[in-house]
Amino acid sequence: MNILILHGVNLNMFGRRNPAYYGTATLDDINTALQNLARELDLRVVTFQSNHEGEMVERIQRAMDEDIQAVVINAGAWTHYSHAIADALDMLEVPVVEVHISHVHAREAFRHESVLSRVCAGSVEGFGVDSYLLGLRAAAGLASSRLLQNTVD
Ligand code: DQA
């Protein structure tokens, strides 16, 4: 099983960015933790980060032609306003899980809305790096029940 992990705008700055909200792990640390969990779960993760909305949209579009069974996305601030990213995710036929390092619902009001929720199976927020790891477990679970379902159908 292959799972695509998408990191959005400003997330390359994890480790140097508002540690009270985001902790001290760098994006490389997060990707390493994801790779370790992927090995444990016997699946493959591919990671991608961009600060450019169009580049992210194009990466999601490419996923339509790839052998990918689920997506985990932390879209950063795009979460709160990018209908373009939501529409791109909506084209995918695989489950999408939204994750956030910080507890967005305990922060400023503009962070309480996610325009991505409508295209996501669920979300995990507020658990630091564990949000990603829980998100990966959730995505793998959803993908394997879909695969099972397709075998039964
Ligand atoms: C974030 C939360 C967003 O509100 C913020 O814009 C980010 C990071 C998180 O992981 O907690 O850039 O997605």
Side-chain angles (χ1 to χ4, degrees):
M1 180 188 299
N2 301 318
I3 298 189
L4 176 63
I5 314 279
L6 300 172
H7 306 285
V9 62
N10 286 316
L11 305 194
N12 57 312
M13 300 306 284
F14 277 151
R16 301 176 55 190
R17 186 184 169 204
N18 305 44
Y21 287 121
Y22 304 121
T24 52
T26 64
L27 194 59
D28 278 351
D29 295 336
I30 292 169
N31 286 336
T32 301
L34 286 164
Q35 294 291 358
N36 290 340
L37 179 60
R39 207 166 307 120
E40 199 183 299
L41 299 178
D42 198 21
L43 49 86
R44 195 173 147 259
V45 294
V46 176
T47 62
F48 176 80
Q49 190 276 331
S50 180
N51 292 318
H52 303 276
E53 189 180 19
E55 215 170 78
M56 181 60 79
V57 165
E58 284 170 1
R59 181 64 191 88
I60 296 166
Q61 290 176 359
R62 272 207 310 283
M64 291 179 74
D65 299 319
E66 293 172 338
D67 180 26
I68 280 167
Q69 282 70 48
V71 173
V72 174
I73 183 165
N74 182 352
W78 288 329
T79 305
H80 313 299
Y81 65 87
S82 179
H83 296 283
I85 288 177
D87 281 353
L89 291 170
D90 198 23
M91 289 188 259
L92 300 178
E93 283 175 358
V94 297
V96 179
V97 174
E98 174 182 348
V99 301
H100 299 285
I101 290 265
S102 68
H103 186 185
V104 282
H105 282 86
R107 298 183 61 194
E108 303 96 315
F110 80 88
R111 295 185 206 274
H112 299 179
E113 192 195 358
S114 165
V115 300
L116 307 186
S117 291
R118 71 177 170 88
V119 298
C120 292
S123 66
V124 186
E125 63 170 77
F127 301 111
V129 178
D130 278 345
S131 291
Y132 277 97
L133 301 179
L134 292 164
L136 179 58
R137 285 183 187 276
L142 288 168
S144 46
S145 35
R146 276 170 54 97
L147 292 175
L148 209 65
Q149 191 60 44
N150 290 342
T151 319
V152 172
D153 287 348

